[in-house]
């Protein structure tokens, strides 16, 4: 196999992986939004986690379900800066079947950013793969 073909294959494989992961993350966020109930809540505390490039903050939110049950749950998606300060008001999306499965509403807090980043990287590698195939290395 020629070096050009190997490059096209390599870039195409990376594009497929990143594009697939990005698409899966965006679809997961969309599916969660479809089933989730939206309620007002507040940030109870922030858990700081050292993530190689700096500190990432995972908020624990408190909210009352539509059935009147008070719940506190930590989001699985962290950020820096935090999505809201302790005591800050947020809109909570929760799974009615498992109310401790929560996300915060919004593009930045809801997990969409990671999906978009992966999808964009996939598109970039796809373009590079096509360029290498068309014009050579």
């Amino acid at each position: 196999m020629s070096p050009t073909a190997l490059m096209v294959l390599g870039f195409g494989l990376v594009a497929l992986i990143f594009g697939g992961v990005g698409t899966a993350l965006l679809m997961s966020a969309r599916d969660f939004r479809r089933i989730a109930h939206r309620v007002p809540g507040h940030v109870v505390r922030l858990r700081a986690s050292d993530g190689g490039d700096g500190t990432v903050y995972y908020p624990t939110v408190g909210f009352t379900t539509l059935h009147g049950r008070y719940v506190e749950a930590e989001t699985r998606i962290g950020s820096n800066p935090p999505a809201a300060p302790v005591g800050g008001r947020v809109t909570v999306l929760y799974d009615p079947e498992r109310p401790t499965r929560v996300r915060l509403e919004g593009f930045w807090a809801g997990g969409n950013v990671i999906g978009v980043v992966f999808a964009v990287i996939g598109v970039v590698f796809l373009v590079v793969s096509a360029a290498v195939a068309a014009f050579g290395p």
Side-chain angles (χ1 to χ4, degrees):
M1 189 175 273
S2 74
T4 301
L6 286 174
M7 286 179 66
V8 169
L9 183 62
F11 282 118
L13 185 59
V14 171
L16 182 65
I17 291 169
F18 274 89
V21 168
T23 300
L25 289 170
L26 289 169
M27 288 174 52
S28 172
R30 181 201 64 201
D31 292 345
F32 184 80
R33 283 191 308 273
R34 283 185 179 164
I35 60 124
H37 290 173
R38 287 166 180 73
V39 294
H42 63 281
V43 176
V44 175
R45 67 185 156 275
L46 295 169
R47 179 177 60 86
S49 176
D50 183 25
D53 292 336
T55 304
V56 177
Y57 298 94
Y58 294 87
T60 295
V61 294
F63 62 96
T64 302
T65 68
L66 296 179
H67 298 294
R69 177 177 157 212
Y70 180 75
V71 176
E72 286 187 5
E74 182 177 280
T75 64
R76 294 181 1 194
I77 299 169
S79 63
N80 186 352
V86 172
R89 300 282 176 209
V90 292
T91 299
V92 178
L93 284 76
Y94 73 90
D95 181 342
E97 298 291 319
R98 293 187 335 201
T100 57
R101 185 174 169 229
V102 298
R103 293 186 184 198
L104 300 181
E105 187 170 64
F107 180 77
W108 295 103
N112 294 316
V113 172
I114 296 170
V116 169
V117 167
F118 270 80
V120 167
I121 291 171
V123 168
V124 168
F125 273 92
L126 183 63
V127 169
V128 170
S129 177
V132 169
F135 305 111

